[in-house]
């Protein structure tokens, strides 16, 4: 992959989901576990189900997965049928469902990285789609990390 924009988007998506490399960061907290997957690993199903300002961490997580699914569909030339409201209806999850959410989010993220790796060039629509996926994911990472502060003792996030 020689396209600098694709390299940059991939780098920032990896930081968003996997966390920063070697305690260096472009925009997340520069410590291990600061990405979305590291953050979610520390949350129990019970904590993910606590309502905070009208939503839950479980709903934020599933919505992020859903958004990636929609983005992946568009990047594959498909026009998915969307129900954005359904991705926000999650109020309570058990351990199995919570683990499933993490697995499905990982699958959509991996699919997006593979798509990026398969691209040689970018048109405006693809560029916009990739940048939207990055911005949207970073937004929800921040939202989830702020929600954790509401349910955890300070300095434990």
């Amino acid at each position: 992959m020689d396209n600098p924009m694709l390299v940059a988007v991939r780098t920032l998506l990896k930081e968003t989901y996997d966390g920063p490399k070697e305690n260096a960061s472009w925009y997340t907290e520069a410590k291990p576990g600061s990405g979305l997957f590291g953050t979610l690993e520390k949350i129990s199903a019970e904590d993910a189900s606590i309502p905070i300002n009208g939503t839950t961490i479980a709903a934020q997580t599933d919505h992020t997965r859903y958004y990636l699914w929609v983005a992946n569909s568009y990047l594959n030339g498909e026009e998915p049928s969307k129900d954005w409201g359904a991705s926000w209806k999650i109020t309570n999850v058990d351990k199995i469902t919570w683990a499933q959410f993490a697995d499905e989010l990982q699958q959509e993220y991996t699919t997006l990285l593979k798509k990026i790796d398969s691209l040689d060039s970018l048109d405006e629509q693809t560029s916009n789609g990739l940048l939207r996926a990055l911005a949207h994911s970073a937004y929800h990472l921040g939202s989830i990390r702020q929600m954790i502060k509401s349910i955890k003792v300070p300095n434990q996030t």
Side-chain angles (χ1 to χ4, degrees), residues 19-90:
K21 284 185 165 185
E22 302 169 15
N23 291 327
S25 169
W26 289 104
Y27 74 96
T28 60
E29 189 174 9
K31 67 179 188 179
S34 297
L36 192 51
F37 295 128
T39 298
L40 296 176
E41 282 177 2
K42 300 172 194 165
I43 301 298
S44 68
E46 181 180 328
D47 286 346
S49 300
I50 295 172
I52 302 166
N53 295 324
T55 190
T56 63
I57 291 171
Q60 291 272 339
T61 302
D62 190 55
H63 175 77
T64 304
R65 181 229 25 106
Y66 185 76
Y67 188 93
L68 286 185
W69 172 79
V70 169
N72 284 326
S73 296
Y74 279 121
L75 289 169
N76 286 327
E78 302 164 7
E79 178 70 36
S81 175
K82 298 174 289 296
D83 183 358
W84 293 109
S87 66
W88 287 110
K89 291 182 181 176
I90 310 299

